Amino acid sequence: MPLFEHHVFVCHNVRPEGAPRPSCTADGKSEVFTQLQQLTKAAGVNNVRINKSLCLDQCEHGPTVVVYPEAVWYGFVKPEDAAEIVEEHLVNGRPVERLRLADSCINTKVCPHRG
């Protein structure tokens, strides 16, 4: 098995209805995860691991995806964004800037997306 160049974590966290923070998925399923996994395989990329994750503590930005080792955080990711993440970031090494969360929004209590 080859060494992984990237580890991709996709939030699957589900919060109860009425919780103070939103969920990344409503039912514990993630079409984003499925698309990333399928498209990575279809592209023949064998050095990337796509993982399900519980809370990444970026609830207001969900669905959230983070790619390591670069620590590139993506927010508000839709299933149709998966192809661009695979092609641009995982294959060509260029993060998808339009989906990238601002550093000022990551792991902070103050962010335009937080109430």
Side-chain angles (χ1 to χ4, degrees):
M1 177 184 272
L3 295 175
F4 295 122
E5 283 187 29
H6 295 95
H7 287 264
V8 180
F9 295 92
V10 182
C11 183
H12 270 238
N13 200 48
V14 178
R15 294 185 184 277
E17 192 172 322
R21 295 180 78 189
S23 297
C24 279
T25 64
D27 58 5
K29 298 177 184 174
S30 172
E31 187 62 25
V32 172
F33 171 81
T34 302
Q35 286 295 310
L36 286 168
Q37 196 171 48
Q38 290 175 353
L39 292 167
T40 300
K41 184 176 181 179
V45 180
N46 298 318
N47 58 354
V48 172
R49 177 74 179 161
I50 310 294
N51 295 71
K52 295 177 185 177
S53 173
L54 289 177
C55 187
L56 295 170
D57 201 26
Q58 302 302 312
C59 309
E60 290 77 12
H61 306 117
T64 305
V65 174
V66 61
V67 180
Y68 286 105
E70 302 99 322
V72 171
W73 289 81
Y74 294 119
F76 311 104
V77 181
K78 298 177 183 147
E80 54 268 24
D81 297 323
E84 189 174 3
I85 292 171
V86 169
E87 182 65 26
E88 289 302 313
H89 193 153
L90 304 179
V91 173
N92 294 315
R94 296 183 299 256
V96 180
E97 294 301 326
R98 71 177 185 82
L99 296 172
R100 197 168 186 172
L101 289 174
D103 288 343
S104 61
C105 281
I106 300 168
N107 296 325
T108 181
K109 295 198 183 286
V110 178
C111 172
H113 306 106
R114 293 185 185 227

